[in-house]
Amino acid sequence: MFKSLVKLLLAATLAVSSASAYYQKVSLSAKAKNKVVGVRVSDVISYLGNIVPSLYEVNKEILDNPENYIKGGKIQEVHNLYFDAIPRKSGNNVLLDLRAMVRYKNGGVQFQTMQVRYNTATPKNLYVTGNLYSIDETDFEFETSLVSRKLIAYDRANNTKMIFPLGVGSFDEGVLSGQTSLLTPRFKTAWLDKRVNMYSRKKPRYFKKKPFIRILTSQNVADGWTGIGFHAQPNLDKFVRAFDSHGCMRMELQDLYLLYHLVDKGPRQSLPITVNYRTSDLSDHPFPKQNKPYQRVVNGGNKSNPKWILDRDDLIMVSKNWKSEAPVNELVDYAADHYNEMINYSIAELRDERREEKKDACSEQHLDDLDRDDFLSDRDYEKAYKKAKKAYDKCMKKGKKKKTIRDRLYKWWVHG
C-alpha cells in the first residue's frame, strides 16, 4: 500500500513538472501589448482585466495569505507581486511566472521567484514553487523615459525588471530654454543614493511626510546635489500620468515606497539612473497616460520676448493648456542635453540671471551715460548721480510683485 502511494505521488509530481512543456503563451490584446511583463499583477487586473481566467482570485489568495506561498519568515509587506513573463495556459490549467519583492518584520528585504500553477475550476488551490534570494544579491539600475512617463528598474544579476508609471515635468515651450523641452532635466549619468534617500519629507508640507528619492549627478553629494527627485502626488492627490510637475517625477505611493526600499536596503551606496525623453525598451505600464490637458510654463512676456514668472511657492508658474495635446513629438534627445550642460532649472539661479539682466537694463537707461567730464563741478555731478540713482532704484522695483499677508502666511505654513 505504501509503495503504491509513493508511486502515485511520484507520478503526480512528474506530471506537474513536465506539464509546462505543453503550456502556451496566452494571446494578449493590442491594448495589453508590452504592458504585462514587469507590471504589478494588481495593476494588470485594474487596467487590463483578467488576462487569464481567475487571475483576480489567484492574486488575492497570494496577497491575503503570503506566508503560505512566500518563504523567509514573518512578512511585513509584499511590496510588489509582478509578472516575470507572459502567462501560459493549457486547457483549464494556467501557469504564471511571477516574482515578489517582500519586506520582513526583521527589516530584511528579499525577492522570490514564483511559478504558480492552478486549474481555473479551483483557483484557490495553488501549486507554487520558487527560489528566495536577498536584496544583497541584486544589481539594480534605472532608466526613465519622460515621453512614455515610465521608470524601469532592471536587476541584471537576476534577469528581471519592474515598470512604474510616472508624472513628469511641465512643458517649456521656449520660455526658459528657447526650445521645446520639459521642466524635468535629462540625466545621462546620475545616481540614486542612500545618503540623500528620505523616508519622510516634511517640508514643503505638500510632500505629506512621504519619501523623497533625490537624484545626484555625482557620487560626491556636494558636487552632485540636485533639486530633482521622485515623490508622491502633492498633497496625496489622485495620481495622474501627465506632464504637470515643476521638474520632479511623481509616483503612486506604493511604488514610491518600493523605490525607497530598493535604494535603502540594496547592497550599493549608489544606484545608476538615466533620464531621457525616450528609451529603446518598449516595455510599458497599463496606467492611462494623459496628454490633454498638459501643463506648460506661463509666458509673462510675448512670443518674441518671452518671460517666465514665479508662483506663490517661488516656483516657475505653469498653467494647463486645455486646447491641444502635449507636443511630445517636438521633444528631442540630444547628446549634450544633460543636467550639467543645459539650462539649470534651479529657481535661485534663474532669479539671479533675471536680476542681472534687469540691473544691466536699468543701469544702461539711467547710470551708464553719466560722465564726470560732462559737469562743471563735483557738486553738479553728485546731484545728477543721486537723481539717476533714484531713477535706477525705481526701475529695479518696477514690476516686482509685493507679497501680501496671505502669501506670506501661505509660505510660512507650506515651506516653513
Side-chain angles (χ1 to χ4, degrees), residues 155-348:
D155 178 12
R156 309 292 188 187
N158 297 284
N159 193 32
T160 188
K161 65 183 176 183
M162 295 180 279
I163 302 165
F164 312 105
L166 297 176
V168 302
S170 305
F171 268 80
D172 168 25
E173 296 173 329
V175 179
L176 291 169
S177 60
Q179 62 188 26
T180 300
S181 62
L182 296 180
L183 290 186
T184 302
R186 275 62 64 203
F187 297 90
K188 305 301 182 188
T189 306
W191 288 268
L192 304 181
D193 193 292
K194 294 178 187 291
R195 294 168 293 178
V196 293
N197 196 34
M198 297 175 65
Y199 184 76
S200 175
R201 183 166 178 178
K202 299 176 179 63
K203 294 289 185 177
R205 286 184 185 267
Y206 47 70
F207 285 114
K208 292 293 182 181
K209 300 180 182 179
K210 302 304 178 185
F212 184 83
I213 297 105
R214 191 180 302 278
I215 294 179
L216 298 179
T217 57
S218 167
Q219 289 176 294
N220 182 322
V221 174
D223 294 335
W225 188 272
T226 80
I228 305 300
F230 296 90
H231 60 77
Q233 199 78 12
N235 295 313
L236 299 183
D237 290 339
K238 185 179 178 181
F239 173 77
V240 287
R241 198 177 179 186
F243 300 99
D244 63 352
S245 84
H246 287 92
C248 288
M249 289 164 278
R250 300 167 178 179
M251 302 182 77
E252 291 195 280
L253 196 56
Q254 59 184 347
D255 296 339
L256 184 66
Y257 276 110
L258 184 155
L259 181 60
Y260 171 84
H261 288 295
L262 278 183
V263 177
D264 183 64
K265 300 294 185 181
R268 290 189 284 163
Q269 178 176 273
S270 302
L271 299 175
I273 183 171
T274 59
V275 180
N276 291 300
Y277 288 130
R278 293 173 178 83
T279 173
S280 59
D281 191 327
L282 298 179
S283 303
D284 205 348
H285 193 282
F287 192 103
K289 299 183 179 81
Q290 178 181 292
N291 286 341
K292 183 180 180 182
Y294 69 94
Q295 297 268 25
R296 59 181 175 179
V297 175
V298 172
N299 185 357
N302 52 53
K303 193 170 183 179
S304 59
N305 185 27
K307 289 185 178 180
W308 50 268
I309 53 181
L310 297 178
D311 61 19
R312 65 178 182 170
D313 290 303
D314 278 346
L315 299 173
I316 294 294
M317 184 173 285
V318 298
S319 66
K320 288 183 179 177
N321 179 0
W322 294 88
K323 295 181 179 180
S324 56
E325 293 204 353
V328 294
N329 291 333
E330 296 181 32
L331 298 172
V332 179
D333 278 307
Y334 297 107
D337 186 9
H338 180 66
Y339 186 80
N340 290 327
E341 297 163 6
M342 294 292 286
I343 184 168
N344 186 321
Y345 291 101
S346 162
I347 301 305

Side-chain angles (χ1 to χ4, degrees), residues 32-88:
K33 187 178 181 182
N34 299 323
K35 296 177 182 177
V36 172
V37 176
V39 176
R40 184 179 277 107
V41 177
S42 58
D43 286 346
V44 170
I45 295 167
S46 294
Y47 303 109
L48 300 176
N50 277 337
I51 58 172
V52 288
S54 305
L55 183 60
Y56 172 84
E57 289 83 353
V58 171
N59 182 63
K60 188 175 187 303
E61 169 65 19
I62 294 173
L63 295 182
D64 285 351
N65 306 286
E67 290 175 355
N68 291 346
Y69 307 104
I70 299 172
K71 308 168 187 175
K74 293 184 177 180
I75 294 170
Q76 179 75 30
E77 185 175 0
V78 178
H79 276 286
N80 200 2
L81 178 65
Y82 63 98
F83 283 100
D84 246 358
I86 301 295
R88 290 176 280 172

